[in-house]
Amino acid sequence: MKNLKAVVANWKMNHLRADVEAFCARFSAGYKQKEGVAAGIAPPFPYLELVGNKLIPAGVLLFAQNGLDKPKGAYTGEVSMAQLKDVGCYGVILGHSERRQYYGETEATLAPKIVAARENNLLPLLCIGESLAQRESNETLEVISRQLAILSQVGQGDIWIAYEPVWAIGTGRVATPAQVEEVHVFIRSETIRLLGKAGDEIPILYGGSVTPDNFPELLKTKDVGGGLVGGASLDPEKFRQLVLQTQE
Ligand code: PGA
């Protein structure tokens, strides 16, 4: 899977039905799947099926933005991995920094979610990244290493990783190619250290203010296997352009 590249749209809590329908029509009009490059979209829960119905036939992978580790029962407001699978999800974003920041997600809550996702044949897309304060105090690699330690707790199995420096998310402040490369090469060394050969095959996506203007440069960077895109992914033309750039 090492040569697999991927670009995933993280819509966060954006779009209403009419926007979703317009996006799907405009995106699918010009989208052509290409071997070795996966395009994924993570809409809000209410629109998972709508996006799935419209875009899975075109080869787009459906992702959820979160899921619970419990199989079913009295967990008001939560959604299980089995339910995500049932509505057509291919994978689930886990540990996004907004969930860590606003909803107290930690490695302790994330590990069972990764396990539950895999048990339901969902691909976990694990997000990691340092805050501005951590970068400024030179703790970036230490934070990344701590966040990746979860890999040895959850054992072998498919996973994608997204490196998203918190200070670059939604801020328009994109990390430089040198900053991205330093961390991605480090992540690769950690995944190999923790998982052996399998760690060499995990796609590592970059996320944080990715746009069609800065993406080509980032894609040339060592160990960058694509992107996880928020703001720019809300526009079907921009997202299609990002997919095309990944396919080049
Ligand atoms: P952004 O979001 O592209 O708007 O910075 C990325 C993300 O949070 O996944």
Side-chain angles (χ1 to χ4, degrees), residues 22-23 25-30 212 232-244:
F23 180 101
R26 282 170 57 195
F27 178 77
S28 55
S233 78
L234 296 172
D235 177 322
E237 262 81 49
K238 281 192 188 155
F239 186 58
R240 200 174 51 230
Q241 216 179 325
L242 293 166
V243 176
L244 280 173

Side-chain angles (χ1 to χ4, degrees), residues 162-221:
Y163 167 57
E164 300 202 301
V166 178
W167 47 273
I169 295 178
T171 58
R173 195 177 151 184
V174 66
T176 65
Q179 287 172 323
V180 173
E181 180 160 311
E182 183 198 13
V183 180
H184 278 242
V185 167
F186 178 71
I187 292 171
R188 176 67 69 213
S189 69
E190 286 290 277
T191 58
I192 292 173
R193 182 175 70 79
L194 295 164
L195 301 174
K197 200 167 163 288
D200 199 23
E201 298 186 352
I202 296 174
I204 309 171
L205 317 186
Y206 170 77
S209 297
V210 166
T211 66
D213 291 332
N214 57 40
F215 201 39
E217 210 45 51
L218 296 169
L219 281 168
K220 286 187 211 141
T221 310

Side-chain angles (χ1 to χ4, degrees), residues 41-52:
I41 298 183
F45 290 133
Y47 307 120
L48 279 171
E49 267 196 291
L50 178 58
V51 173

